[in-house]
Amino acid sequence: MIAIFDSGYGGLTVLKPIMELLPEYDYLYLGDNARAPYGNHSKENIKKFSEEAVEYLFKQGATLIIFACNTASAVALRSIQEKYLKGKNEKDRKILGVLIPVAEEVVKVTKTKKVAIVGTKATINSKSYDEEIKKLDPSIKITSASCPLLVPFIEEGWHKKPEAISVLKKYLRSLKTHNPDTLILGCTHYPLMGKNFKRIMGKQTKVLSSGKIVAKSLKDYLARHPEIESKLSKKGKRKFLTTDDPDKFKKFTQKNFGMKIQATPIQLSREVCL
Ligand code: DGL
């Protein structure tokens, strides 16, 4: 089965296009809502939370885990891949993130080579997007901004309110002065404010969200890796797990994604992280 991991609800913006493009596979979604948002946590805690999620998902029988969460992809993915995929496990299971597919797309679409990135504090401070883009094209100029107030607005269902739009305008003001032709929405939640990002940035800026890009890249990946693809179950099953209130998860999913689902509560850790 394919597992999609996120800090909470946001990964549904990645799961949805994946399920639309590749409906035949079984999907297990895990949202660590109890500890979200990850974006304001320390690197150590983000790594610890992500490791707990990975161990849990492998125990549930996942062959392929997608880190839909930009923060986990930026901060924890590399060390987790090294820890969990070495040696005998290398050919049997895989963990993929969202940064590389998005970086590959950016390099294809930018014409002026001026790119902007928005994301959580942890994602922006990690500079992981910058690194992946520069590996592909060192001449690209990157400006970035963290937008920590947007996730709470979105989770509260307040993202269409004037207060949220005015905060967004403030976040984008300095980025706009660099005239990027491409803006990466480097956070799972931001596509829910995608129209406002587009409107504020203006027609000259293409706004990229990871969902469709990751879905297409996953399709290509599976075609190139039959050793993983052949292990994936294909009964079209979908299961949703949350570390917080399943009813709240169900309502958010229905309201924002039009998906009627059942969510199962799970616990990843009893430890309190200070
Ligand atoms: N899922 C996170 C991301 O894409 C956003 C929410 C959070 O901070 O946990 O970075």
Side-chain angles (χ1 to χ4, degrees):
M1 137 254 296
I2 300 176
I4 311 281
F5 161 58
D6 185 53
S7 54
Y9 305 116
L12 296 164
T13 61
V14 178
L15 174 70
K16 207 173 172 196
I18 290 180
M19 288 192 320
E20 277 163 13
L21 192 67
L22 301 163
E24 64 274 32
Y25 297 102
D26 293 349
Y27 293 96
L28 177 64
Y29 182 93
L30 168 57
D32 190 8
N33 296 77
R35 301 187 290 197
Y38 277 15
N40 298 330
H41 281 291
S42 67
K43 275 190 202 164
E44 291 67 33
N45 275 342
I46 296 165
K47 282 185 187 167
K48 177 183 170 309
F49 299 163
S50 306
E51 282 192 9
E52 285 169 355
V54 160
E55 282 174 18
Y56 186 92
L57 290 168
F58 279 141
K59 271 193 205 139
Q60 299 304 303
T63 304
L64 176 58
I65 301 176
I66 315 270
F67 275 26
C69 182
N70 287 260
T71 304
S73 297
V75 173
L77 180 64
R78 208 171 295 166
S79 61
I80 287 183
Q81 284 172 327
E82 269 161 30
K83 182 166 173 182
Y84 293 90
L85 303 177
K86 287 279 172 248
K88 65 180 172 55
N89 294 319
E90 210 162 0
K91 288 211 166 74
D92 295 336
R93 55 199 208 180
K94 208 78 204 169
I95 309 170
L96 302 173
V98 290
L99 270 58
I100 293 175
V102 174
E104 286 169 351
E105 182 70 10
V106 166
V107 171
K108 273 189 229 153
V109 302
T110 181
K111 295 206 166 62
T112 63
K113 302 204 184 235
K114 285 187 193 171
V115 169
I117 310 167
V118 282
T120 64
K121 277 189 187 165
T123 299
I124 298 303
N125 291 343
S126 75
K127 298 258 177 222
S128 298
Y129 261 115
D130 310 45
E131 272 171 35
E132 295 302 343
I133 294 168
K134 295 268 186 196
K135 266 187 220 163
L136 300 171
D137 185 345
S139 71
I140 291 181
K141 294 214 164 34
I142 302 169
T143 41
S144 57
S146 60
C147 310
L149 292 173
L150 297 186
V151 168
F153 269 120
I154 294 166
E155 299 231 330
E156 209 43 50
W158 274 41
H159 49 289
K160 291 186 181 140
K161 292 196 188 264
E163 292 84 351
I165 313 297
S166 100
V167 166
L168 179 61
K169 275 189 189 150
K170 194 150 191 178
Y171 282 141
L172 297 182
R173 198 172 294 152
S174 74
L175 290 185
K176 277 185 81 171
T177 62
H178 292 91
N179 295 318
D181 76 344
T182 312
L183 171 70
I184 299 175
L185 300 187
C187 172
T188 48
H189 287 60
Y190 299 172
L192 292 169
M193 293 185 80
K195 280 189 187 146
N196 286 309
F197 272 100
K198 281 186 191 147
R199 192 175 50 75
I200 297 166
M201 292 306 290
K203 284 205 182 87
Q204 69 284 1
T205 308
K206 193 173 169 51
V207 175
L208 296 184
S209 356
S210 47
K212 280 193 181 154
I213 298 169
V214 171
K216 199 178 156 291
S217 144
L218 176 60
K219 191 175 176 187
D220 295 346
Y221 175 86
L222 294 177
R224 283 184 284 110
H225 291 274
E227 77 286 3
I228 296 288
E229 201 283 336
S230 60
K231 291 193 180 74
L232 299 173
S233 47
K234 300 177 192 72
K235 293 196 180 103
K237 284 190 198 159
R238 281 91 178 92
K239 192 169 178 193
F240 295 83
L241 309 174
T242 175
T243 54
D244 204 12
D245 179 359
D247 205 42
K248 208 170 146 200
F249 190 93
K250 192 174 133 179
K251 284 186 184 138
F252 187 95
T253 308
Q254 163 96 54
K255 186 167 173 221
N256 292 287
F257 297 91
M259 289 157 64
K260 280 195 180 168
I261 59 140
Q262 292 302 323
T264 308
I266 62 148
Q267 202 163 41
L268 286 179
S269 168
R270 282 173 197 274
E271 275 179 58
V272 176
C273 289
L274 298 172

